[in-house]
């Protein structure tokens, strides 16, 4: 980072991450005969509102791997990203995995999670309106 004259702060590290993503995309493109297919990126610090502009919604699909109460989803949709829904408190059926997810921390029970899945509305609302049909039901 010093050689590239990047600040050793959050913005500098995010810029470094962006460079890594660009190099990875270029390698994938070369290995795939010059074509880019959907690149899937899990929700992360990079998909937070202040850094989302570093990603191209024409290239990346974001796998939403957060709690259903996380407020990141409407912004992803508003910015034009396709989203794979896998919020771990309602749609992840094992209830023993996920980012630090265990029964003791969430109170989740596998049967309840399956019930939540079937209770999902056909259209999921967000601040920009509804954004697609649920396959549950």
């Amino acid at each position: 980072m010093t050689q590239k004259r990047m600040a050793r702060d959050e913005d500098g590290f995010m810029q470094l991450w962006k460079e890594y993503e660009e190099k990875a995309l270029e390698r994938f493109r070369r290995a795939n005969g010059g074509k880019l297919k959907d690149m899937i990126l899990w929700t992360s610090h990079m998909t937070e509102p202040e850094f989302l502009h570093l990603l191209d919604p024409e290239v990346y699909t974001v796998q939403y791997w957060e709690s259903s109460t996380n407020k990141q989803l409407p912004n992803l949709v508003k910015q034009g990203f396709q989203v794979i829904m896998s919020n771990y408190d309602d749609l992840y059926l094992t209830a023993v995995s996920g980012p630090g997810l265990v029964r003791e921390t969430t109170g989740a029970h596998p049967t309840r999670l399956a019930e939540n899945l079937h209770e999902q509305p056909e259209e999921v609302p967000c601040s920009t309106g509804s954004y697609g049909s649920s396959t549950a039901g």
Side-chain angles (χ1 to χ4, degrees):
M1 291 180 72
T2 303
Q3 290 175 342
K4 293 182 177 198
R5 298 177 191 246
M6 293 177 146
R8 296 181 69 91
D9 60 8
E10 184 179 40
D11 288 333
F13 282 102
M14 296 307 291
Q15 187 60 40
L16 187 63
W17 188 352
K18 179 185 181 219
E19 285 186 20
Y20 167 82
E21 288 293 331
E22 289 171 347
K23 288 178 183 179
L25 282 174
E26 186 51 39
R27 287 181 179 174
F28 182 83
R29 186 187 327 256
R30 280 195 315 253
N32 197 35
K35 299 176 192 165
L36 267 184
K37 295 192 180 238
D38 278 337
M39 303 302 292
I40 299 173
L41 180 71
W42 279 358
T43 46
S44 63
H45 204 64
M46 182 69 86
T47 60
E48 291 290 332
E50 61 270 26
F51 299 109
L52 194 56
H53 69 278
L54 298 174
L55 299 171
D56 183 352
E58 296 294 319
V59 174
Y60 289 98
T61 295
V62 178
Q63 182 166 355
Y64 186 76
W65 183 242
E66 301 292 335
S67 153
S68 60
T69 60
N70 182 292
K71 303 299 183 204
Q72 200 174 2
L73 182 59
N75 189 50
L76 291 169
V77 173
K78 184 179 178 183
Q79 297 301 320
F81 286 88
Q82 291 190 28
V83 178
I84 299 169
M85 289 298 297
S86 57
N87 53 302
Y88 57 78
D89 56 345
D90 286 331
L91 299 177
Y92 200 78
L93 298 179
T94 67
V96 294
S97 191
L101 178 66
V102 294
R103 179 178 277 173
E104 291 77 28
T105 60
T106 65
H109 185 276
T111 304
R112 181 64 192 134
L113 291 176
E115 290 169 1
N116 288 349
L117 177 63
H118 290 286
E119 292 172 4
Q120 296 296 312
E122 288 299 313
E123 295 287 325
V124 183
C126 69
S127 64
T128 59
S130 62
Y131 60 90
S133 296
S134 167
T135 58

